[in-house]
Amino acid sequence: MKKIFLLIMFLGSLYLLVSLFSYYPFDPSWFQATYPVFVHNKAGILGAFCADLLFFVFGAIAYFIPCCIFFFSGKYFLKVIV
């Protein structure tokens, strides 16, 4: 069970990194009044919402959050396997 949780955290951090790096300010999000038809974010509509929320709450430090999750979940995942 612990391995599955760590794997989900690892993959979730990759998803967040993709959504943050492909952030487009005019994608649909929590703080947009209009909803364009095409989403530019590579992680889709959910990635656009997550990236917008993380940038709104944390600013540029938002890039650091998934990196930390990625590092620590990978570290503990390898420790659990070995």
Side-chain angles (χ1 to χ4, degrees):
M1 189 68 173
K2 193 174 190 179
K3 291 179 187 177
I4 293 171
F5 176 73
L6 290 172
L7 185 62
I8 290 171
M9 293 296 291
F10 186 77
L11 294 174
S13 67
L14 287 177
Y15 183 79
L16 279 177
L17 276 174
V18 168
S19 69
L20 288 172
F21 280 116
S22 64
Y23 175 73
Y24 185 69
F26 299 113
D27 276 343
S29 63
W30 298 107
F31 307 107
Q32 285 283 36
T34 61
Y35 287 93
V37 177
F38 184 71
V39 178
H40 294 88
N41 197 309
K42 300 294 182 198
I45 188 93
L46 181 63
F49 275 86
C50 290
D52 188 57
L53 184 65
L54 283 173
F55 278 130
F56 179 75
V57 173
F58 298 109
I61 301 296
Y63 289 111
F64 188 65
I65 294 168
C67 291
C68 288
I69 296 170
F70 180 81
F71 174 74
F72 287 116
S73 64
K75 179 181 171 184
Y76 290 123
F77 184 72
L78 291 176
K79 188 183 287 186
V80 168
I81 289 177
V82 174

